[in-house]
Amino acid sequence: METQDQRPAKLHKLDKVGVSNLKTLVETRYKGRMYRFIPSIDLTIDLSGERKGIHMSRLVEAIAESIEETITAKTQEENASLEHLGKKVLAGLSQRHPFLKGQISFKADLVVKKKTPATRKNTFENHEIMVQVLYFRGGFRKKLSCEVYGNTVCPHSMQHTGKPHIQRAKATLTIETDYEREIDLEDMVDCVEESFSSPVYTLLKTEDEAWVVNRMHENPLFVEDVCRNIISGAQRFSDSRIKVKVVSEESIHRHDVVAEAESST
Amino acid sequence: METQDQRPAKLHKLDKVGVSNLKTLVETRYKGRMYRFIPSIDLTIDLSGERKGIHMSRLVEAIAESIEETITAKTQEENASLEHLGKKVLAGLSQRHPFLKGQISFKADLVVKKKTPATRKNTFENHEIMVQVLYFRGGFRKKLSCEVYGNTVCPHSMQHTGKPHIQRAKATLTIETDYEREIDLEDMVDCVEESFSSPVYTLLKTEDEAWVVNRMHENPLFVEDVCRNIISGAQRFSDSRIKVKVVSEESIHRHDVVAEAESST
Amino acid sequence: METQDQRPAKLHKLDKVGVSNLKTLVETRYKGRMYRFIPSIDLTIDLSGERKGIHMSRLVEAIAESIEETITAKTQEENASLEHLGKKVLAGLSQRHPFLKGQISFKADLVVKKKTPATRKNTFENHEIMVQVLYFRGGFRKKLSCEVYGNTVCPHSMQHTGKPHIQRAKATLTIETDYEREIDLEDMVDCVEESFSSPVYTLLKTEDEAWVVNRMHENPLFVEDVCRNIISGAQRFSDSRIKVKVVSEESIHRHDVVAEAESST
Amino acid sequence: METQDQRPAKLHKLDKVGVSNLKTLVETRYKGRMYRFIPSIDLTIDLSGERKGIHMSRLVEAIAESIEETITAKTQEENASLEHLGKKVLAGLSQRHPFLKGQISFKADLVVKKKTPATRKNTFENHEIMVQVLYFRGGFRKKLSCEVYGNTVCPHSMQHTGKPHIQRAKATLTIETDYEREIDLEDMVDCVEESFSSPVYTLLKTEDEAWVVNRMHENPLFVEDVCRNIISGAQRFSDSRIKVKVVSEESIHRHDVVAEAESST
C-alpha cells in the first residue's frame, strides 16, 4: 500500500491539501482574443481523516493535462478562459483522486489597452488578477479578483487649506458568483478605475498629465469614498457577493489608510 | 461641519476603516518579563452609511496614548502585554470616536531563548507573531498567531528508495478565543515546533547537527502529518477555534506543498 | 521654458534618472520561436548638473514605440529578442532626449520545457530572468541573469551521521558581456541546474521522485560546491564577467547560508 | 579531517560565504541611550580555493558570543552600538576561523521621537536602517544606511495647471567611511527628511496636516531635486562616499520614477 493511503497517526480531517505557487505557461482564448499567462497556481482538495496523504503528483498531472487540452481546444471556436481551465482541472482531477471539496486559483498579470485621456495615444496598463474555481457537492462556483491602481485626493485638507494632499491608492475588487455567471475581468477593472479621484496611465504627455491633475483636484475623495464608489459600481454584476479593499498610500504619513466592505447585489 | 461628518454621496456601510502598517515602539511586561517590540499595527473600525469618513488622527492618538499609559503602568506589578495594550487602545478610542465593531492587530518578532539539543548551548530563536483584539457589542475576543519554522521529511520517498527528501517547512497556528482566556505565545510556538520532523535551531554544533539529522530521519512526516500534529497538540488550548496552515518548501520541486485545517477544541 | 530644462537649485550630476517597475506586454521572436512576456522594466539615463529634470514621458514613449516596431518586425525573419528590444529603446530614446549613459532592464518569467528524468513526461519549468542593455560612449554591453531553483545535500552531516540534511537552494548566475556576444538564457539555466545536488522538476511521478532522491544522496554538495560548479560551468560563456550567488534555505536552521563569487572567463 | 577542510573538486576562490537573514535579539547602548533591536544579520567571509567549505557554526557562535559580551559591557559607561558589535563579531571570528575579508550587516528598525509640526505633540517615526562593518587587511570600514519616507510634489504640473500631483516617496542614503568616523543614524535621517517637499509624520492633527500640506505646495520638487538635496545635505558627513536613491511612487502612474547618484565629500 502506498504511504499516502495508510491510516494516519492522528485522524483529523484536513480542509485543503495541495500545491502552491506553481508557475507554468497557460494559453487561453476569450471572446476571440488569445491570451498568454504565466500564472501562479494553487490547487487544493480536502482529505479525509482516514488517509495519511494525498497523491500530489496527480494534482500536477491534472493541471498539465488540462493546459494541453486547452491549447488543442483553442483551434476550435470555443472559449477557453482561465475559468474554463480551472473547471477542467478540477473535473479531470476527480477522475484520478477522490475529494469532496476542491479549489484552484490562478494569479496572473492582465495587460489592457487604453487611450491616454487627452492626446488619445495608445497605452498599455497592467493589473494583477485572480481567477478561482471552487467545487463542492457537484457544483462549481468562482471568485474573480482584480487589483487596480488609482489615487485619493484628500477632501478634508481641501476644506481646511484649499489644497489637497494626494497619493497613490490601490483597490481590490473580489466577486464571488455562480460558475455560469459571465463577468469580464476588464469590466471589473473599469468599475474600479472609475471609482478613484482619477484613473492612472503608464503614458502621459503634458496635456494628458494636465487632464489627470485637473480631474484629481475636481474630484477629491477619501479612501472611504473610493470604497463606496466601487461597491456602487459593482451593482452591475448582479447575483454576486462583492468584497472591496482600498489602500491609500498616504503622502503625509509613513503608514497607509484603508477601507473595506462586503456586500451582495 | 468637518468633512468626515458630512453625508456621503453613496450610503454604503463600511466594515473596516482605519490605519495599516503603522510601526512604532511598544514596551510590554508579561509575567514579570519586559519586552520591547516595533510591531506593525492595523487598527480599523466600522463606519455607518451616514458619515463620509472616520477621523483617522483619533485612531493614531488612541494608539499613542495607550502605549504611553502602558509604559507608565509597567512600574506597577500588573501585566501589560500586547493584548492588554490592544484592549486599552479600543477602549480609549471608544471615548473619542463612535464605532460598533473595532479590531487592532500587532505583528511583531518574538525572540525565544532555547538550549541546543545535544551540547546544551544557549540559542535564540525568532518567530513572527500576531496578536489581535476584537471588540463587538461590548465584548472582547482575541486572535493569537505564530509562524514557526521546521521541516518535513518525505515518508513516501523513504518507502520507495530508503532515502528521504527533506526541506524547510513553515507552519502558522492561529487561535481565536475569549479575551479572558490566558494563552502564552511561547506555548503556541512549542506546540508547533514539536509537530515537525525536527525543530530547527539558529546555533548547531556538530553534535547538535547530528541530533537534528537523526531525529529528522527517524521521524518522516508529510505536510499533512505536521498539520494534524499541530491540531492535536493545540487541543491543550481549550475553548478555542484553531486554524493551522503548513507550507513545505519542497527540495525536489520549485513549488510548495500545503496543508490547512480548522478545528474547535 | 519647460520646468525640466531649468537650472536646478543644486548642480549635482545624477547617475540614473528614469522609470522603474513599469510592466507592459512584450512579444519577441528568438531563433524562430515566439515569446510573450509581461516584464517589469527599468529605464534610466544620466542627467547633467545643469538641468532640473529629465522628460519622463519620452522614456515611456521610447519603450512603447520600440515594442510596437518589434511586433511589426517579427513578421520578417529577423530575431527580435529582449536584448534587441532593449537596444532599440536606447537608440530610439537618444533621438528624443540627450544622455551619455543609459540602461534598460527587463525582469520576466521564462518557461522552459523539459522531460522528467525517469518517466520522460513533459514538464514545464519557470525561471526568473533579467536582460539588461547598457549604453555608454557609443557602445552597447549587456547583462543576462537567471535565478534557478535546485537543492543542497549536506556532506558534513553525511560524514558524521551517514545521513544528510537536504534543502531547497536558489542560484543566480549573472553574465556581463559585449552586446554582440550571443548567449542563450536557456544555456545559462542549464549551467545552473546541473550544478546543484539534483535538478528539480514541477512534475515528478514516483519513479522520477526516486531518481531525484537517489541523485541527491549520491551527490552531496555544500552551498560552496554549488557556487564553484556554476563558476566552472560558466567558463563555456567566454569573454564574460561572471557573478554567482547561491542561497541554501537550510532545513535545520531558520536562517539561510550563502556563497558568492565573481570571476572572468 | 572535517569535510569543510578537504580539497574541493573545483578550486575557485569564493568572495563571500556565510549566513544570511539570521534574526536575533541585540541590545546596544549609544550616547547613553539603550536600544533593543531584532536585526536581520548577514555575516560572510572569503574562502580560499583550497578548502571545500567554511565552518558555518563558528560564524553563529561569534555572533552569539559578541552579543552576550556587549550586554555585559553595557553595565560600564562605554558605547556599544551596532557598529561596535559588528567589529567585535569580526574580531572574535578571526580567532576561530581564518579569513582575509569579512563583512557583517545588521538591518533593523529605528524609532525616532519627534514633535508634530504645528501642535507640537509627541510622535514616533520608524525608519529601516542598515549598519555594515567591513574588514580587509587589518583595517575596518563601515557602511551606514537609512531608508526614509517623504513625498514629491510635481513642479512641472504646477507650471502647466497651477496644481500639482503629489505622492509618497522613499529615499535611501548610504554612507561608506572609515570605521572611526562618527556619524549618527539620526543625523542621516534628518538629512533625508529635510530633502523632501515635506517631512511626514505618524500623528497629524488638523493643524499639523494643514502645515504639511502648505509646505508641500510651497516646495514642489522633482525626484531629481530630492536626490540632489540629499547629496548636498550629506556634505556634512565629510570624508565619506555617499550613495543616494530616491523612488517616487507616482500618483498619476502605476510605475515609479527614480533618481540615483553617487558622490564623495
Side-chain angles (χ1 to χ4, degrees):
Chain A
M1 185 164 57
E2 286 291 326
T3 331
Q4 291 92 335
D5 301 324
Q6 292 164 12
R7 195 175 160 84
K10 313 275 166 55
L11 299 176
H12 301 286
K13 191 185 156 318
L14 300 179
D15 299 308
K16 295 183 186 175
V17 181
V19 295
S20 179
N21 296 325
L22 189 158
K23 293 189 101 177
T24 191
L25 184 66
V26 172
E27 291 184 341
T28 66
R29 168 183 293 237
Y30 186 63
K31 300 199 171 169
R33 231 184 103 191
M34 301 275 297
Y35 294 84
R36 192 178 298 194
F37 297 105
I38 303 178
S40 178
I41 301 175
D42 283 19
L43 170 58
T44 56
I45 56 179
D46 64 328
L47 177 64
S48 97
E50 303 295 317
R51 279 162 182 269
K52 188 173 168 71
I54 71 162
H55 296 272
M56 290 283 175
S57 71
R58 298 189 197 164
L59 275 61
V60 180
E61 278 183 309
I63 294 170
E65 207 169 279
S66 298
I67 289 173
E68 210 164 317
E69 284 171 23
T70 305
I71 292 172
T72 318
K74 274 188 322 182
T75 55
Q76 293 130 43
E77 270 324 86
E78 70 159 296
N79 275 342
S81 64
L82 286 175
E83 298 168 31
H84 284 73
L85 177 59
K87 191 182 173 188
K88 195 188 281 282
V89 171
L90 289 170
L93 180 58
S94 70
Q95 307 298 316
R96 303 166 184 268
H97 201 298
F99 62 90
L100 297 175
K101 267 193 315 185
Q103 49 260 308
I104 183 165
S105 67
F106 303 90
K107 279 186 203 132
D109 285 318
L110 178 71
V111 175
V112 176
K113 190 177 180 173
K114 282 176 73 175
K115 294 283 181 192
T116 59
T119 63
R120 313 300 297 165
K121 287 173 179 286
N122 286 336
T123 177
F124 292 84
E125 308 299 330
N126 186 61
H127 311 280
E128 282 184 35
I129 55 105
M130 194 271 291
V131 171
Q132 188 175 28
V133 181
L134 308 105
Y135 171 87
F136 184 51
R137 302 196 177 191
F140 288 92
R141 286 181 67 75
K142 69 185 170 191
K143 265 191 203 171
L144 305 175
S145 182
C146 64
E147 186 181 287
V148 178
Y149 282 87
N151 40 61
T152 54
V153 175
C154 180
H156 178 255
S157 166
M158 279 286 215
Q159 185 189 22
H160 278 270
T161 66
K163 295 181 285 271
H165 60 87
I166 301 174
Q167 44 270 320
R168 185 187 283 177
K170 188 171 70 176
T172 309
L173 167 61
T174 306
I175 292 178
E176 184 180 337
T177 187
D178 290 334
Y179 178 80
E180 303 301 335
R181 176 83 178 85
E182 198 172 320
I183 297 176
D184 281 11
L185 287 162
E186 279 87 347
D187 288 344
M188 289 175 58
V189 168
D190 286 347
C191 168
V192 180
E193 284 220 301
E194 66 203 28
S195 300
F196 290 110
S197 287
S198 167
V200 304
Y201 300 85
T202 297
L203 176 63
L204 287 175
K205 298 303 296 175
T206 296
E207 305 95 285
D208 298 311
E209 188 194 19
W211 185 95
V212 168
V213 171
N214 281 321
R215 182 168 153 90
M216 280 173 163
H217 286 255
E218 285 157 14
N219 192 27
L221 296 173
F222 283 134
V223 70
E224 292 95 328
D225 296 315
V226 177
C227 191
R228 284 165 166 149
N229 285 345
I230 298 171
I231 295 170
S232 267
Q235 303 301 316
R236 73 184 82 164
F237 309 114
S238 55
D239 308 319
S240 305
R241 285 174 55 194
I242 307 293
K243 208 172 154 180
V244 178
K245 179 170 186 177
V246 188
V247 179
S248 178
E249 301 172 359
E250 298 295 284
S251 64
I252 60 170
H253 296 302
R254 63 192 83 245
H255 61 262
D256 303 324
V257 303
V258 297
E260 287 185 63
E262 287 191 57
S263 165
S264 296
T265 63
Chain B
M1 186 165 57
E2 285 292 325
T3 330
Q4 290 92 333
D5 299 326
Q6 292 166 11
R7 194 177 160 83
K10 313 273 164 58
L11 300 177
H12 300 286
K13 190 185 156 317
L14 300 179
D15 298 308
K16 294 182 186 175
V17 181
V19 295
S20 180
N21 297 323
L22 189 158
K23 294 188 103 177
T24 194
L25 185 66
V26 171
E27 292 184 338
T28 67
R29 166 182 295 237
Y30 186 63
K31 300 197 172 170
R33 227 183 105 195
M34 300 276 298
Y35 294 84
R36 193 180 296 194
F37 298 105
I38 304 179
S40 177
I41 302 175
D42 283 17
L43 170 58
T44 56
I45 56 178
D46 64 328
L47 177 63
S48 96
E50 304 295 316
R51 280 165 182 268
K52 188 174 169 69
I54 70 163
H55 295 273
M56 291 283 174
S57 71
R58 297 187 197 165
L59 276 62
V60 180
E61 279 183 308
I63 295 170
E65 207 170 280
S66 298
I67 289 174
E68 211 163 317
E69 284 171 21
T70 305
I71 293 174
T72 318
K74 278 189 316 182
T75 54
Q76 296 130 41
E77 268 326 85
E78 70 162 294
N79 273 343
S81 64
L82 287 175
E83 299 167 32
H84 284 73
L85 177 59
K87 189 179 175 190
K88 196 187 279 282
V89 171
L90 288 170
L93 180 57
S94 71
Q95 307 298 317
R96 301 166 184 269
H97 200 299
F99 63 90
L100 296 176
K101 269 194 312 187
Q103 48 261 307
I104 183 166
S105 67
F106 303 89
K107 280 186 204 133
D109 285 317
L110 179 71
V111 175
V112 176
K113 190 177 182 172
K114 282 178 72 175
K115 294 281 181 194
T116 60
T119 64
R120 311 302 295 165
K121 288 175 179 283
N122 285 336
T123 175
F124 292 86
E125 309 297 331
N126 185 59
H127 310 281
E128 282 184 35
I129 55 103
M130 195 270 293
V131 171
Q132 187 175 30
V133 180
L134 307 104
Y135 171 87
F136 184 50
R137 298 192 180 198
F140 287 92
R141 287 182 67 76
K142 69 184 170 192
K143 266 192 203 170
L144 305 174
S145 182
C146 64
E147 186 183 286
V148 178
Y149 282 87
N151 41 61
T152 55
V153 176
C154 182
H156 179 255
S157 166
M158 279 287 215
Q159 184 188 23
H160 279 269
T161 67
K163 296 181 283 276
H165 59 89
I166 301 173
Q167 45 271 319
R168 184 187 285 176
K170 188 172 69 176
T172 309
L173 167 61
T174 306
I175 292 179
E176 184 182 335
T177 189
D178 288 335
Y179 178 81
E180 301 302 335
R181 175 84 177 84
E182 199 172 319
I183 296 175
D184 279 11
L185 287 163
E186 279 87 347
D187 289 344
M188 290 175 57
V189 168
D190 286 347
C191 168
V192 179
E193 285 220 302
E194 67 203 26
S195 301
F196 291 109
S197 287
S198 167
V200 303
Y201 300 86
T202 296
L203 176 63
L204 287 175
K205 298 304 297 174
T206 296
E207 306 95 284
D208 299 311
E209 188 192 19
W211 185 96
V212 169
V213 170
N214 282 321
R215 181 167 155 90
M216 279 175 163
H217 285 254
E218 287 157 14
N219 192 27
L221 296 173
F222 283 134
V223 70
E224 293 94 329
D225 296 315
V226 177
C227 191
R228 282 165 167 148
N229 285 347
I230 298 170
I231 295 171
S232 266
Q235 303 302 314
R236 75 186 80 163
F237 309 112
S238 57
D239 307 320
S240 304
R241 286 173 56 194
I242 307 293
K243 208 173 152 179
V244 178
K245 180 172 185 176
V246 188
V247 179
S248 178
E249 302 173 358
E250 298 294 286
S251 64
I252 62 170
H253 297 301
R254 63 192 81 246
H255 61 262
D256 303 324
V257 304
V258 296
E260 287 184 63
E262 287 189 58
S263 165
S264 296
T265 62
Chain C
M1 187 164 58
E2 287 291 325
T3 331
Q4 289 92 335
D5 300 325
Q6 292 165 12
R7 195 176 160 84
K10 313 275 165 55
L11 300 176
H12 300 286
K13 193 186 155 315
L14 299 178
D15 298 308
K16 295 182 185 175
V17 182
V19 294
S20 180
N21 297 324
L22 188 158
K23 294 190 101 176
T24 193
L25 184 67
V26 171
E27 293 184 338
T28 67
R29 167 182 293 236
Y30 185 62
K31 298 197 172 170
R33 228 183 104 193
M34 301 274 298
Y35 294 84
R36 193 180 295 194
F37 298 105
I38 304 181
S40 178
I41 302 175
D42 282 20
L43 169 58
T44 56
I45 56 179
D46 64 327
L47 177 64
S48 98
E50 303 295 317
R51 281 165 180 267
K52 187 173 169 71
I54 72 162
H55 296 273
M56 290 283 175
S57 71
R58 297 187 197 166
L59 276 61
V60 181
E61 278 184 308
I63 293 170
E65 206 169 281
S66 298
I67 288 173
E68 209 164 318
E69 284 171 21
T70 305
I71 293 173
T72 319
K74 276 188 317 182
T75 56
Q76 295 132 41
E77 269 325 85
E78 70 161 294
N79 274 341
S81 64
L82 286 175
E83 298 167 33
H84 283 74
L85 176 59
K87 190 180 174 190
K88 194 187 281 281
V89 171
L90 289 170
L93 180 58
S94 72
Q95 306 299 314
R96 301 168 184 267
H97 200 299
F99 62 90
L100 296 175
K101 270 194 311 188
Q103 50 259 308
I104 183 165
S105 66
F106 304 89
K107 279 186 203 133
D109 285 317
L110 179 71
V111 175
V112 176
K113 190 178 182 172
K114 283 178 72 175
K115 295 281 180 195
T116 60
T119 63
R120 311 302 294 164
K121 288 174 178 285
N122 286 336
T123 176
F124 292 85
E125 308 298 331
N126 186 60
H127 310 281
E128 281 183 36
I129 55 105
M130 196 271 293
V131 172
Q132 186 174 33
V133 180
L134 308 104
Y135 171 86
F136 185 49
R137 299 194 179 195
F140 288 91
R141 287 181 68 76
K142 69 184 171 193
K143 267 192 204 171
L144 305 174
S145 183
C146 63
E147 187 182 286
V148 178
Y149 283 86
N151 40 62
T152 54
V153 177
C154 180
H156 178 253
S157 166
M158 280 286 216
Q159 185 188 20
H160 280 269
T161 67
K163 295 181 284 275
H165 59 88
I166 302 174
Q167 46 269 320
R168 186 186 282 175
K170 186 172 70 177
T172 308
L173 167 61
T174 306
I175 293 179
E176 184 181 336
T177 188
D178 289 334
Y179 177 81
E180 301 302 335
R181 176 82 178 83
E182 200 172 318
I183 296 175
D184 280 10
L185 287 163
E186 278 87 347
D187 288 345
M188 290 175 57
V189 169
D190 286 347
C191 167
V192 179
E193 284 221 303
E194 67 202 26
S195 300
F196 290 110
S197 287
S198 167
V200 302
Y201 300 86
T202 297
L203 176 63
L204 286 176
K205 298 303 298 173
T206 296
E207 306 94 283
D208 298 312
E209 188 193 19
W211 184 96
V212 168
V213 170
N214 282 321
R215 183 168 154 89
M216 279 175 163
H217 285 255
E218 286 156 13
N219 192 27
L221 296 173
F222 283 134
V223 71
E224 293 95 328
D225 295 315
V226 177
C227 191
R228 282 163 167 149
N229 284 346
I230 299 171
I231 296 170
S232 267
Q235 304 300 314
R236 74 186 80 163
F237 310 112
S238 57
D239 308 319
S240 303
R241 286 173 56 192
I242 308 294
K243 208 172 153 178
V244 178
K245 178 170 187 177
V246 188
V247 179
S248 179
E249 301 172 359
E250 298 294 284
S251 63
I252 60 170
H253 297 302
R254 60 193 85 245
H255 62 261
D256 304 323
V257 304
V258 297
E260 287 184 63
E262 286 189 57
S263 164
S264 297
T265 62
Chain D
M1 184 165 57
E2 287 291 326
T3 331
Q4 290 92 335
D5 300 326
Q6 290 164 13
R7 194 174 158 84
K10 314 273 165 55
L11 300 175
H12 300 286
K13 190 186 158 315
L14 300 179
D15 299 307
K16 296 183 186 174
V17 182
V19 295
S20 179
N21 296 324
L22 189 158
K23 294 189 101 176
T24 193
L25 184 66
V26 171
E27 292 184 339
T28 66
R29 170 183 292 236
Y30 186 63
K31 298 197 171 169
R33 230 184 102 191
M34 301 276 297
Y35 294 84
R36 192 178 298 193
F37 298 105
I38 303 179
S40 177
I41 302 176
D42 283 19
L43 169 58
T44 58
I45 56 179
D46 63 328
L47 176 64
S48 98
E50 303 296 316
R51 280 163 182 268
K52 188 172 169 70
I54 71 163
H55 296 273
M56 290 285 174
S57 71
R58 298 189 197 164
L59 276 61
V60 180
E61 279 184 308
I63 294 170
E65 207 169 280
S66 298
I67 288 173
E68 210 164 317
E69 284 171 23
T70 304
I71 292 173
T72 319
K74 275 187 319 181
T75 54
Q76 293 129 42
E77 268 327 84
E78 70 161 294
N79 275 341
S81 64
L82 288 175
E83 300 168 31
H84 283 74
L85 176 59
K87 191 181 176 190
K88 192 186 282 280
V89 171
L90 289 169
L93 180 58
S94 71
Q95 307 298 316
R96 302 167 184 268
H97 201 299
F99 62 91
L100 296 176
K101 266 193 315 186
Q103 49 261 307
I104 183 166
S105 66
F106 304 90
K107 279 186 204 132
D109 284 317
L110 178 70
V111 175
V112 177
K113 189 178 182 173
K114 283 176 72 174
K115 294 282 181 194
T116 60
T119 63
R120 311 303 294 165
K121 287 173 178 285
N122 285 337
T123 177
F124 292 84
E125 310 297 330
N126 186 61
H127 311 281
E128 283 183 34
I129 56 103
M130 196 270 293
V131 171
Q132 187 175 29
V133 180
L134 308 104
Y135 171 87
F136 184 50
R137 303 193 176 193
F140 288 92
R141 287 181 67 75
K142 69 183 170 191
K143 266 192 204 172
L144 305 174
S145 184
C146 63
E147 187 182 285
V148 178
Y149 282 86
N151 40 61
T152 54
V153 176
C154 180
H156 178 255
S157 166
M158 278 286 214
Q159 184 188 23
H160 279 269
T161 66
K163 296 181 284 273
H165 60 87
I166 301 173
Q167 45 271 318
R168 186 188 281 176
K170 187 171 71 178
T172 309
L173 167 61
T174 306
I175 292 179
E176 183 180 337
T177 188
D178 290 334
Y179 178 81
E180 301 302 336
R181 175 81 178 85
E182 198 172 322
I183 296 176
D184 281 11
L185 287 162
E186 279 87 347
D187 288 345
M188 289 175 59
V189 169
D190 286 348
C191 167
V192 179
E193 283 221 301
E194 66 204 27
S195 299
F196 290 110
S197 287
S198 167
V200 302
Y201 300 85
T202 296
L203 176 64
L204 287 175
K205 298 303 297 172
T206 297
E207 305 92 286
D208 298 310
E209 188 193 20
W211 185 95
V212 169
V213 170
N214 282 321
R215 180 166 155 91
M216 280 175 163
H217 285 255
E218 284 157 14
N219 191 27
L221 295 174
F222 283 135
V223 71
E224 293 95 327
D225 295 315
V226 176
C227 191
R228 283 165 167 148
N229 284 346
I230 298 171
I231 296 170
S232 267
Q235 303 301 314
R236 72 185 83 163
F237 309 112
S238 55
D239 307 319
S240 306
R241 285 174 56 194
I242 307 293
K243 209 173 152 178
V244 179
K245 179 171 186 176
V246 188
V247 179
S248 178
E249 301 173 358
E250 298 293 283
S251 62
I252 59 169
H253 297 302
R254 63 192 82 245
H255 60 261
D256 303 325
V257 304
V258 297
E260 286 184 64
E262 287 189 57
S263 165
S264 297
T265 61

